[in-house]
Amino acid sequence: MKIGTMEIHGKAVLAPMAGVTDRPFRRLCRQFGAAYCVTEMVSAKALQFKDKKTPLLMRLDENEHPAAIQIFGDEPEVMALAAQKAMAFSPDAIDINMGCPAPKIANNGSGSALMKNPDLCGRIVEAVSRAVDVPVTVKIRKGWDENSVNCVEVAKICEQAGAAAICVHGRTRTQMYQPPADWESIRLVKEAVKVPVIGNGDVTDAQSAALMLQKTGCDLVMVGRGALGNPWVFQQINAYLTDSCRILPGPGFHERMLVMLRHMQALCEDKGENVGMREARKHVGWYMHGLRGASEFRRRAGELCTFHDLEILVRDLYAIQKEQGAL
């Protein structure tokens, strides 16, 4: 399928997640079959003021494409300029964040707060669409709260303003991430617009991906927390959808550890060992989820300082798995 000029192969895409979907993680998910990836959100104002760290969020590898750069802000002109600056990194699309529920974003009028002003949503999409020659996509929520569920209204306005695709997270801003996602809201948006619709919320495995596609009619599914420590989820979704509901087994212990080490090594190469290993702590905890006797090792993961520390941790993990007969 296509989103504007961006050609998509596959049905599962990686959600943008601040502090998570950096270049090493996106590259890994693409290798395991993510149809495309979206960067961590980039502040339009930070770009305007030439913040030195912000451009690092937009770096894309050649083998990442197709990929979108996500920007956030609440001023159409500033967002348009940010989109133009993002084009220096050769994205295949620009994604506008209208769904982030984090207080530091929403309380400043950006992210999900934009849904309280549908007209402003349209003006931002129109400004960004005019500023760049790649597809512009929008990520929204069900609404701000249960008394202002307006995802259909906002989606239609964004479509009319030039959005090439709409991603809908089936929760309101006040719900954050806790209650089950309302897939019905995704279905209603799909019925209301002609552009592709991407469903987001509670897709954690192949079966839930297939169920969302069936129940909502959406064109793609977006995987967020289901991919944490689990890049294999994209491979499993692809197999289930294209090969007669074939269920691929999860990775064995050896593969999980090898991929984890490869991922953390890439983090260190990309950001330096000091920063890379601080960020590796949460990833290592996610990779160990479900392993026998992992609780003590997750505590140790939170104290990792060097890649050698991680190698020692993996060695000890192997030992406990053998001792407990899990290998």
Side-chain angles (χ1 to χ4, degrees):
M1 65 165 291
K2 283 190 173 184
I3 294 177
T5 55
M6 181 169 62
E7 193 166 328
I8 308 296
H9 299 278
K11 287 286 189 180
V13 304
L14 176 65
M17 292 177 281
V20 177
T21 52
D22 53 20
R23 189 163 62 163
F25 188 59
R26 296 194 308 268
R27 187 166 55 218
L28 184 62
C29 289
R30 283 286 289 144
Q31 289 168 357
F32 277 103
Y36 79 93
C37 299
V38 187
T39 67
E40 301 171 77
M41 59 182 177
V42 174
S43 167
K45 282 188 176 179
L47 277 176
Q48 183 184 28
F49 294 123
K50 299 181 180 180
D51 175 72
K52 292 181 180 180
K53 294 182 180 180
T54 300
L56 299 177
L57 299 173
M58 299 188 290
R59 296 173 302 160
L60 298 172
D61 280 354
E62 288 184 8
N63 58 1
E64 270 193 68
H65 297 279
I69 290 177
Q70 186 184 78
I71 58 175
F72 74 92
D74 63 342
E75 300 171 79
E77 298 80 9
V78 175
M79 290 285 279
L81 287 172
Q84 289 176 332
K85 290 181 179 181
M87 290 306 299
F89 297 87
S90 302
D92 301 282
I94 297 294
D95 186 59
I96 300 174
N97 185 320
M98 296 183 181
C100 179
K104 68 178 181 180
I105 304 298
N107 290 349
N108 287 318
S110 300
S112 55
L114 291 172
M115 295 193 70
K116 294 193 284 186
N117 189 342
D119 178 66
L120 178 58
C121 293
R123 288 191 284 118
I124 289 174
V125 172
E126 184 176 11
V128 173
S129 297
R130 288 180 174 178
V132 297
D133 58 2
V134 297
V136 173
T137 61
V138 178
K139 191 170 192 292
I140 65 176
R141 281 191 165 234
K142 179 180 172 180
W144 177 257
D145 58 29
E146 287 298 329
N147 296 318
S148 57
V149 174
N150 62 345
C151 52
V152 170
E153 177 191 5
V154 172
K156 290 169 74 172
I157 288 173
C158 289
E159 178 186 37
Q160 291 167 3
I166 311 288
C167 177
V168 186
H169 184 137
R171 294 182 177 92
T172 64
R173 186 268 176 176
T174 55
Q175 289 175 319
M176 300 293 281
Y177 299 100
Q178 281 309 310
D182 175 17
W183 290 357
E184 177 67 8
S185 61
I186 301 169
R187 185 187 68 81
L188 292 173
V189 170
K190 175 59 184 173
E191 290 182 351
V193 300
K194 294 182 174 63
V195 296
V197 170
I198 305 160
N200 182 215
D202 294 346
V203 175
T204 57
D205 54 25
Q207 292 91 333
S208 55
L211 193 60
M212 175 183 275
L213 289 165
Q214 176 192 340
K215 285 186 172 292
T216 69
C218 65
D219 302 279
L220 299 166
V221 296
M222 183 169 273
V223 185
R225 289 174 295 165
L228 302 180
N230 185 29
W232 298 272
V233 68
F234 297 101
Q235 190 179 63
Q236 292 166 335
I237 291 172
N238 293 339
Y240 192 84
L241 295 177
T242 62
D243 192 9
S244 303
C245 298
R246 181 164 64 100
I247 299 177
L248 288 182
F253 179 78
H254 298 289
E255 182 183 0
R256 192 183 296 199
M257 292 299 101
L258 284 172
V259 170
M260 181 183 75
L261 286 167
R262 193 175 86 204
H263 181 181
M264 300 314 115
Q265 186 172 36
L267 255 181
C268 292
E269 291 171 355
D270 196 64
K271 303 181 180 185
E273 187 176 48
N274 186 35
V275 174
M277 288 311 299
R278 284 205 308 270
E279 296 192 6
R281 294 168 183 171
K282 57 179 178 282
H283 287 284
V284 172
W286 292 327
Y287 276 106
M288 292 192 298
H289 181 73
L291 292 179
R292 290 188 185 181
S295 56
E296 170 62 18
F297 289 95
R298 280 196 293 273
R299 184 193 62 77
R300 286 175 56 185
E303 301 170 353
L304 292 170
C305 293
T306 67
F307 190 76
H308 183 60
D309 291 340
L310 177 59
E311 291 176 316
I312 294 172
L313 181 105
V314 171
R315 181 199 66 193
D316 293 346
L317 256 176
Y318 265 98
I320 196 72
Q321 296 302 305
K322 286 183 179 179
E323 180 182 308
Q324 295 184 354
L327 290 180

